[in-house]
């Protein structure tokens, strides 16, 4: 199996044997600083890996409900525990009284705990022989929850969480059998925690698209959520504005959960300028 996912390959995820044993992990850093740099992103190994990952999962959830039966591995359970820890920290870090309505400064206290413990949280998810990857992969986890300076959250942060999951696949922590659980369990729990962050700390949307985006904060659940509707016998786009239909089916379909919550992004410089590159998701061109 190849060490990366081709965009055209929609049927597999990278597994542990795919990673080159000589890989030297590194702390990811920003490489896209100007608009002309976007060409480097589109030609990079990271772009091919990331897009292949998104498309693979898109194919796996096609026509399936959130409530369908699927494998839940030990690694998936560990990831759910990690997200539950982040959720618990929100309860332990209530908003503070402040003059401004948005951007509650208690988020910085919450984020500082993730900064301090993030690497340990990731280590707990990784196989014993891949522990050296923890510092690299933890960067994507920390990037996935919002910006502590601006106290905002947007689709670039969501992209970092997808990159986090992609890296776990590349080092073999997540397997092919985890495809449905990655979307329906892990990513869905991530959405829940992020929505709780947004509500609790009144986070500003990062790079709001206004009328051009259904949601100022999330993007991927609309991609994977729409795939769930492929070949559906009765539900049609006209039903998405029907409150009764949304309430009835929201627990089966990620797309309708998004509609309920609010009752597109990878080729945009404002998003990708914040993306960080390392050994697992590399800025190196796909075909040098």
């Amino acid at each position: 199996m190849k060490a990366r996912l081709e965009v055209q390959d929609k049927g597999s995820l990278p597994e542990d044997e795919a990673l080159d044993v000589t890989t030297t992990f590194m702390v990811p850093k920003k490489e896209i600083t100007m608009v002309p740099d976007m060409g480097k992103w589109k030609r990079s190994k990271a772009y091919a890996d990331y897009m292949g990952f998104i498309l693979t999962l898109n194919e796996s959830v096609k026509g399936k409900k959130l409530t369908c039966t699927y494998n839940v591995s030990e690694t998936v359970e560990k990831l759910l525990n990690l997200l539950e820890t982040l959720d618990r920290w929100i309860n332990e870090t209530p908003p503070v009284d402040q003059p401004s309505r948005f951007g509650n400064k208690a988020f910085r206290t919450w984020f500082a705990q993730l900064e301090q413990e993030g690497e340990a949280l990731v280590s707990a998810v990784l196989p014993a022989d891949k522990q050296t990857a923890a510092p690299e992969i933890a960067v994507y986890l920390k990037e996935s929850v919002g910006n502590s300076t601006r106290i905002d959250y947007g689709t670039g942060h969501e992209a970092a969480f997808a990159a986090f999951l992609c890296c776990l696949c590349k080092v073999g922590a997540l397997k092919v059998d985890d495809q449905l659980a990655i979307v329906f369990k892990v990513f869905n729990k991530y959405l829940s925690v992020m929505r709780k962050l947004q509500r609790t700390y009144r986070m500003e949307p990062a790079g709001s698209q206004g009328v051009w985006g259904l949601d100022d904060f999330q993007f991927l659940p609309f991609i994977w959520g729409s795939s769930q509707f492929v070949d559906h016998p009765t539900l049609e786009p006209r039903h998405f504005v029907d409150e009764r239909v949304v309430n009835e089916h929201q627990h089966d379909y990620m797309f309708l959960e998004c509609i309920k919550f609010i009752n597109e992004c990878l080729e945009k410089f404002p998003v990708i300028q914040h993306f960080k590159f390392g050994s697992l998701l590399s800025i190196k061109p796909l075909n040098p």
Side-chain angles (χ1 to χ4, degrees):
M1 185 181 293
K2 294 183 178 180
R4 57 179 172 77
L5 277 170
E6 299 283 1
V7 173
Q8 296 85 356
D9 178 7
K10 299 182 182 180
S12 63
L13 288 175
E15 293 184 271
D16 48 358
E17 72 270 19
L19 194 69
D20 188 342
V21 294
T22 63
T23 297
T24 300
F25 298 110
M26 58 182 287
V27 175
K29 61 180 181 178
K30 294 181 181 180
E31 299 278 1
I32 309 300
T33 58
M34 299 180 293
V35 173
D37 292 336
M38 289 297 288
K40 291 166 60 179
W41 160 244
K42 294 292 294 292
R43 294 188 299 270
S44 71
K45 294 178 180 178
Y47 182 84
D49 286 344
Y50 185 90
M51 290 300 296
F53 177 73
I54 299 301
L55 292 174
T56 294
L57 294 180
N58 202 51
E59 190 72 15
S60 72
V61 303
K62 187 177 292 183
K64 295 183 176 67
K65 295 182 178 181
L66 289 168
T67 50
C68 72
T69 302
Y70 50 85
N71 177 65
V72 179
S73 66
E74 182 180 356
T75 299
V76 168
E77 292 286 5
K78 289 178 178 178
L79 283 168
L80 294 175
N81 288 338
L82 183 158
L83 291 167
E84 191 59 43
T85 296
L86 302 186
D87 189 287
R88 174 171 50 81
W89 289 351
I90 300 174
N91 297 336
E92 296 170 354
T93 315
V96 297
D97 290 331
Q98 63 180 45
S100 57
R101 179 182 175 191
F102 291 100
N104 193 277
K105 294 178 181 178
F107 174 73
R108 292 174 180 158
T109 303
W110 181 92
F111 186 85
Q113 191 163 4
L114 178 58
E115 277 278 300
Q116 182 176 348
E117 301 187 33
E119 194 171 316
L121 291 174
V122 172
S123 292
V125 175
L126 291 173
D129 62 340
K130 296 296 191 303
Q131 289 295 308
T132 54
E136 177 165 345
I137 298 177
V139 169
Y140 295 108
L141 176 63
K142 295 172 187 177
E143 291 281 322
S144 75
V145 298
N147 183 279
S148 63
T149 302
R150 299 187 302 269
I151 313 181
D152 64 5
Y153 174 94
T155 50
H157 301 109
E158 178 192 67
F161 189 75
F164 167 67
L165 296 175
C166 182
C167 288
L168 290 176
C169 290
K170 294 200 70 171
V171 299
L174 290 169
K175 312 283 188 179
V176 172
D177 288 345
D178 293 318
Q179 287 183 22
L180 284 176
I182 289 172
V183 180
F184 290 169
K185 277 283 190 185
V186 179
F187 187 76
N188 215 29
K189 177 63 176 177
Y190 165 75
L191 286 179
S192 175
V193 176
M194 292 306 102
R195 287 166 180 161
K196 187 172 179 178
L197 276 178
Q198 292 155 22
R199 289 192 301 264
T200 302
Y201 302 120
R202 303 288 295 175
M203 300 177 76
E204 296 269 21
S208 172
Q209 299 302 309
V211 297
W212 302 108
L214 289 176
D215 190 323
D216 278 338
F217 297 103
Q218 312 297 159
F219 182 76
L220 286 175
F222 293 98
I223 297 176
W224 291 331
S226 61
S227 185
Q228 289 183 267
F229 284 120
V230 172
D231 296 327
H232 196 284
T234 58
L235 288 177
E236 301 174 2
R238 61 188 175 91
H239 293 124
F240 298 161
V241 294
D242 186 321
E243 186 176 1
R244 180 188 60 81
V245 173
V246 171
N247 288 337
E248 182 179 346
H249 295 282
Q250 62 172 306
H251 299 299
D252 286 325
Y253 297 100
M254 186 175 289
F255 190 101
L256 296 183
E257 280 192 327
C258 292
I259 298 297
K260 176 71 174 179
F261 182 69
I262 63 175
N263 207 46
E264 260 178 285
C265 103
L266 279 178
E267 296 185 14
K268 298 182 183 298
F269 174 73
V271 172
I272 300 305
Q273 66 175 324
H274 301 298
F275 197 94
K276 293 184 177 180
F277 301 84
S279 69
L280 295 168
L281 294 175
S282 173
I283 190 62
K284 292 179 181 177
L286 182 61
N287 298 305

